C-alpha cells in the first residue's frame, strides 16, 4: 500500500473509529494488527523478517537485563543487529567486491533481492537504541512481545521515520489515552499539511532534480546549477511531508512521535542546521555514537570530540546508503562542523562588521548553499557521477529545462517560497506571525475554503505511485 494514495488515509480514518470504540487494553493489539497488515501489503517476506527480528531483540533485551553476562549478551545483540543490516544492505558494497577479487560468489547478494527489507535502516537504529537503553539502565526490557513488534513496525512511521526512541514510544503505548477529539483534529491537520508538502510542492519540484541525475549528460551547467539550488527544497518538502503524515496519523491514535524538522533553512551555520533537519536521526547519532565515542577517547581531551565528530558523521553518511558518495556526504558535514567549532571566534568578529540582520541572512544563505552542494553526493549514483556534474557547471550557456514541465515547476517553486516566508515570519517576527494566526483563527469561512481547496488539489494529484526519497533507506 502506497502512503500517497487514497487508501492509506482511508485506512487510518476508518481504523480510528474502531480504535476508539475498543477498550483500552485492546487498542495496541489493533495497531499491531494494522501495522503487520501494512507490512504484508509491501511484502510478505518483509513482514516475516520484521516479526523474527522483533522476536530476537525481544529475547536479547530480556537476557541483557536478567543475566550476569550482561556485557557479552549486549555485545552479541549489537553484532547481530549490525550484521543483518551489513548483509542485507551493504554486502554488495563491502564484501562482494573483495570476494570478486578471488573469483568467489557467496550468493548472499541474491538473498538481498528476495528480502530487501524496506525501512531496515530505521528499525535497525530503533532496535539498537532499545538494547543500549536496557544495557545502560535507562529502560527496563519490554515484557510484552506485541508491544515491541508495534514499536518496530508502527505503520505511520515505518517507511521513513521519525527514528523513535523505545522509552518514548512504549510508554505511550502502555498508557493509552481516553478519546480526545482535539488529538484527532490536530492529527488530521498535520497529515493534511504533510500531503500538501509532498504532493503539491515536492512532486512538482521533483522532475527538475531527478531528470538531472537520471540523464546527467543531457543538461548543461545552468540547469545543473539550478537543480543544486532547488534540491534542498525538494528534499525538505518531500521528507518533512512524509514526517508530517506520520506524526499526524499517529496523533489520531493518541501517539506523539518525535519532532523531525524545525525550520532548517533558517539555520545560520551547518552545526545548527543539523539540529533542525532530520532531528530524530541526528539526535540518535548524537546520543548513541558521538557521546559514546567521546567518552571512550576522553583521555585525548579536545581530540576526543574531533574523533567522535568524524566517526559519527561518516556513519551518518553510510546509514544513508552503500556507496563512497554517502561516505563523502558524511565526511564533508564533519569537516564543516569541525571548521565552525575552531573558527567560531574569528567568524564572530568577521560577521560583527555586517550591519543589522545581514549577518544572519549571510549565514543562512551560505548554510543553504553548502547543503545544496553536498546533496549532490546524496542524489548521485556514485562519486564519478558527482564530480562529472560539478565539472559541467563551468559552462553556463544554453539553458534549457529539457523535459521538465515548466508550469508545474514554477508553481511548486512559488508555493515552496511562500511556505518559507511563513516560516521566516514564524521564526523572526512574532508580531506578524501572531497577526496572521489571529486572522486565520477568526475567519472560519477562509479556513473552510483553504482546507477544501487543498484537499481537492491533493486528491487530483494522487496517483498511488509517488514514493518518498527517504523511503529507500
Amino acid at each position: 500500500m502506497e502512503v500517497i494514495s487514497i487508501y492509506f488515509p482511508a485506512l487510518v480514518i476508518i481504523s480510528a473509529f474502531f480504535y476508539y470504540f475498543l477498550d483500552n487494553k485492546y487498542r495496541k493489539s489493533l495497531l499491531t494488527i494494522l501495522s503487520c497488515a501494512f507490512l504484508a501489503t509491501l511484502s510478505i517476506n518483509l513482514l516475516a523478517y520484521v516479526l523474527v527480528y522483533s522476536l530476537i531483540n525481544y529475547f536479547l533485551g530480556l537476557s541483557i537485563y536478567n543475566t550476569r553476562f550482561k556485557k557479552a549478551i549486549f555485545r552479541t545483540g549489537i553484532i547481530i543487529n549490525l550484521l543483518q543490516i551489513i548483509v542485507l544492505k551493504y554486502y554488495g558494497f563491502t564484501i562482494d567486491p573483495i570476494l570478486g577479487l578471488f573469483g568467489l560468489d557467496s550468493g548472499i547478494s541474491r538473498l538481498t533481492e528476495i528480502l530487501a527489507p524496506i525501512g531496515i535502516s530505521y528499525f535497525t537504529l530503533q532496535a539498537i537504541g532499545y538494547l543500549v537503553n536496557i544495557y545502560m539502565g535507562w529502560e527496563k526490557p519490554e515484557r510484552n512481545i506485541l508491544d515491541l513488534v508495534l514499536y518496530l513496525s508502527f505503520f505511520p512511521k515505518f517507511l521513513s521515520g521519525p527514528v523513535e526512541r523505545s522509552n518514548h514510544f512504549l510508554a505511550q503505548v502502555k498508557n493509552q489515552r481516553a478519546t480526545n477529539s482535539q488529538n484527532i483534529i490536530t492529527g488530521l491537520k498535520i497529515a493534511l499539511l504533510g500531503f500538501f508538502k509532498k504532493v503539491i510542492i515536492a512532486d512538482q519540484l521533483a522532475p527538475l532534480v531527478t531528470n538531472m541525475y537520471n540523464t546527467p549528460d543531457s543538461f548543461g551547467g545552468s540547469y545543473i546549477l539550478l537543480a543544486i539550488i532547488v534540491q534542498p527544497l525538494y528534499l525538505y518538502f518531500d521528507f518533512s511531508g512524509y514526517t508530517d503524515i506520520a506524526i499526524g496519523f499517529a496523533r489520531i491514535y493518541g501517539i506523539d512521535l518525535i519532532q523531525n524538522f524545525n525550520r532548517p533553512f533558517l539555520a545560520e551555520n551547518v552545526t545548527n542546521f543539523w539540529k533542525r533537519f532530520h532531528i530524530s536521526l541526528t539526535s540518535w547519532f548524537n546520543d548513541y555514537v558521538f557521546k559514546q565515542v567521546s567518552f571512550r577517547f576522553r583521555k585525548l581531551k579536545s581530540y576526543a570530540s574531533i574523533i567522535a565528530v568524524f566517526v559519527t558523521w561518516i556513519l551518518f553518511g553510510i546509514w544513508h546508503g552503500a556507496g563512497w558518495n554517502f561516505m563523502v556526504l558524511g565526511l564533508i558535514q564533519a569537516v564543516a562542523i569541525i571548521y565552525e567549532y575552531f573558527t567560531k571566534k574569528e567568524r564572530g568578529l568577521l560577521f560583527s562588521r555586517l550591519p543589522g540582520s545581514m549577518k544572519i541572512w549571510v549565514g543562512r544563505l551560505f548554510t543553504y548553499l553548502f547543503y545544496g552542494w553536498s546533496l549532490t553526493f546524496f542524489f548521485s549514483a556514485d562519486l564519478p557521477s558527482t564530480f562529472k556534474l560539478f565539472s559541467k557547471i563551468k559552462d553556463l550557456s544554453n539553458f534549457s529545462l529539457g523535459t521538465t514541465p515548466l508550469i508545474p515547476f514554477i508553481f511548486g517553486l512559488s508555493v515552496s517560497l511562500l511556505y518559507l516566508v511563513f516560516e521566516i515570519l514564524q521564526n523572526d517576527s512574532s508580531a506578524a506571525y501572531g497577526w496572521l494566526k489571529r486572522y486565520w483563527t477568526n475567519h472560519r469561512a477562509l479556513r473552510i475554503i483553504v482546507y477544501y481547496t487543498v484537499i481537492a488539489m491533493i486528491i487530483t494529484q494522487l496517483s498511488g505511485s509517488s514514493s518518498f526519497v527517504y523511503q529507500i533507506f
Side-chain angles (χ1 to χ4, degrees):
M1 180 185 294
E2 295 286 345
V3 174
I4 301 301
S5 68
I6 197 67
Y7 304 107
F8 190 79
L11 170 68
V12 174
I13 294 170
I14 293 172
S15 65
F17 282 102
F18 291 99
Y19 179 80
Y20 282 109
F21 275 120
L22 287 174
D23 187 89
N24 278 355
K25 62 182 178 181
Y26 299 118
R27 288 180 177 179
K28 59 185 177 183
S29 298
L30 174 62
L31 292 181
T32 306
I33 293 170
L34 287 171
S35 298
C36 289
F38 175 72
L39 266 60
T41 65
L42 298 174
S43 166
I44 195 68
N45 292 334
L46 172 64
L47 172 60
Y49 185 85
V50 171
L51 290 175
V52 172
Y53 181 78
S54 301
L55 188 65
I56 291 171
N57 280 282
Y58 171 75
F59 284 114
L60 283 169
L62 291 175
S63 300
I64 290 170
Y65 189 74
N66 294 321
T67 181
R68 58 194 180 94
F69 302 109
K70 184 176 181 179
K71 182 177 289 187
I73 295 177
F74 169 70
R75 288 178 174 176
T76 301
I78 297 301
I79 290 171
I80 290 172
N81 276 280
L82 292 177
L83 275 178
Q84 60 91 32
I85 193 173
I86 289 171
V87 168
L88 294 176
K89 183 173 180 178
Y90 301 106
Y91 194 89
F93 173 68
T94 56
I95 301 175
D96 262 355
I98 297 174
L99 294 177
L101 294 175
F102 302 96
L104 301 175
D105 181 10
S106 66
I108 293 180
S109 57
R110 287 188 288 277
L111 174 64
T112 64
E113 295 174 4
I114 298 172
L115 274 177
I118 302 169
I120 188 171
S121 297
Y122 289 95
F123 62 71
T124 298
L125 290 190
Q126 291 175 127
I128 290 175
Y130 169 69
L131 296 182
V132 172
N133 286 357
I134 295 171
Y135 177 72
M136 299 297 289
W138 300 335
E139 180 180 3
K140 291 183 178 180
E142 180 52 55
R143 301 286 177 179
N144 187 331
I145 179 62
L146 292 182
D147 286 5
L148 191 65
V149 170
L150 179 58
Y151 163 60
L152 294 174
S153 67
F154 186 47
F155 73 98
K157 69 173 179 63
F158 184 80
L159 293 176
S160 296
V163 181
E164 265 296 326
R165 304 295 182 92
S166 52
N167 50 2
H168 177 256
F169 184 89
L170 291 171
Q172 297 182 75
V173 170
K174 292 185 178 302
N175 299 293
Q176 288 291 315
R177 305 173 183 176
T179 304
N180 187 328
S181 59
Q182 191 56 48
N183 267 342
I184 298 173
I185 294 170
T186 301
L188 287 172
K189 289 178 179 178
I190 295 172
L192 181 62
L193 176 61
F195 278 103
F196 177 79
K197 286 180 177 179
K198 167 61 179 171
V199 176
I200 305 303
I201 301 178
D203 284 356
Q204 314 311 315
L205 300 178
L208 180 84
V209 178
T210 56
N211 287 347
M212 180 181 75
Y213 292 102
N214 291 336
T215 56
D217 293 329
S218 303
F219 303 101
S222 299
Y223 185 100
I224 294 170
L225 191 60
L226 177 62
I228 289 174
I229 293 172
V230 169
Q231 60 191 11
L233 294 174
Y234 163 53
L235 183 60
Y236 172 54
F237 286 105
D238 183 275
F239 191 19
S240 69
Y242 177 89
T243 297
D244 286 343
I245 293 170
I247 291 174
F249 283 158
R251 181 73 65 83
I252 290 174
Y253 299 116
I255 296 175
D256 292 323
L257 298 182
I258 295 173
Q259 182 185 18
N260 221 15
F261 295 91
N262 181 23
R263 302 186 288 274
F265 298 136
L266 300 185
E268 297 168 35
N269 52 62
V270 176
T271 304
N272 185 248
F273 175 85
W274 286 112
K275 294 178 181 178
R276 293 168 171 262
F277 192 95
H278 208 342
I279 299 168
S280 66
L281 179 64
T282 54
S283 64
W284 191 97
F285 273 97
N286 179 68
D287 292 343
Y288 296 110
V289 179
F290 177 79
K291 289 181 180 178
Q292 308 308 316
V293 175
S294 297
F295 182 76
R296 178 63 61 89
F297 293 99
R298 61 191 181 279
K299 292 182 180 179
L300 298 177
K301 298 181 180 179
S302 62
Y303 290 105
S305 294
I306 296 174
I307 294 171
V309 167
F310 275 111
V311 171
T312 300
W313 285 98
I314 289 174
L315 289 176
F316 174 89
I318 294 173
W319 177 88
H320 284 84
W324 291 105
N325 49 321
F326 292 108
M327 290 185 68
V328 173
L329 172 68
L331 180 63
I332 58 180
Q333 307 305 318
V335 171
I337 290 169
I338 290 172
Y339 166 78
E340 288 178 350
Y341 177 79
F342 283 103
T343 62
K344 185 176 181 179
K345 184 177 180 180
E346 290 78 8
R347 289 184 297 108
L349 290 173
L350 178 64
F351 276 76
S352 65
R353 299 172 185 173
L354 296 176
S357 61
M358 184 180 291
K359 59 184 178 183
I360 295 175
W361 283 101
V362 169
R364 288 173 176 174
L365 178 61
F366 273 101
T367 302
Y368 180 90
L369 293 176
F370 171 81
Y371 180 61
W373 169 78
S374 68
L375 278 181
T376 311
F377 295 93
F378 175 88
F379 283 112
S380 291
D382 48 42
L383 275 181
S385 301
T386 306
F387 293 127
K388 186 176 182 180
L389 285 172
F390 288 151
S391 68
K392 295 181 71 174
I393 293 177
K394 60 186 177 182
D395 180 16
L396 298 178
S397 60
N398 301 322
F399 174 73
S400 171
L401 284 177
T403 58
T404 302
L406 177 61
I407 301 302
F409 167 70
I410 292 176
F411 175 78
L413 182 62
S414 301
V415 177
S416 70
L417 294 177
L418 282 174
Y419 189 88
L420 291 186
V421 169
F422 174 78
E423 288 195 340
I424 291 168
L425 292 176
Q426 193 176 16
N427 190 84
D428 295 351
S429 179
S430 56
Y433 174 72
W435 182 86
L436 284 174
K437 189 174 181 180
R438 288 191 300 272
Y439 189 87
W440 173 260
T441 303
N442 295 332
H443 291 78
R444 184 171 180 269
L446 174 64
R447 296 199 306 274
I448 293 173
I449 292 171
V450 170
Y451 283 136
Y452 277 100
T453 301
V454 169
I455 292 171
M457 292 171 67
I458 292 170
I459 290 174
T460 59
Q461 294 296 314
L462 288 179
S463 62
S465 61
S466 181
S467 62
F468 295 87
V469 176
Y470 265 75
Q471 186 174 318
I472 63 175
F473 307 126

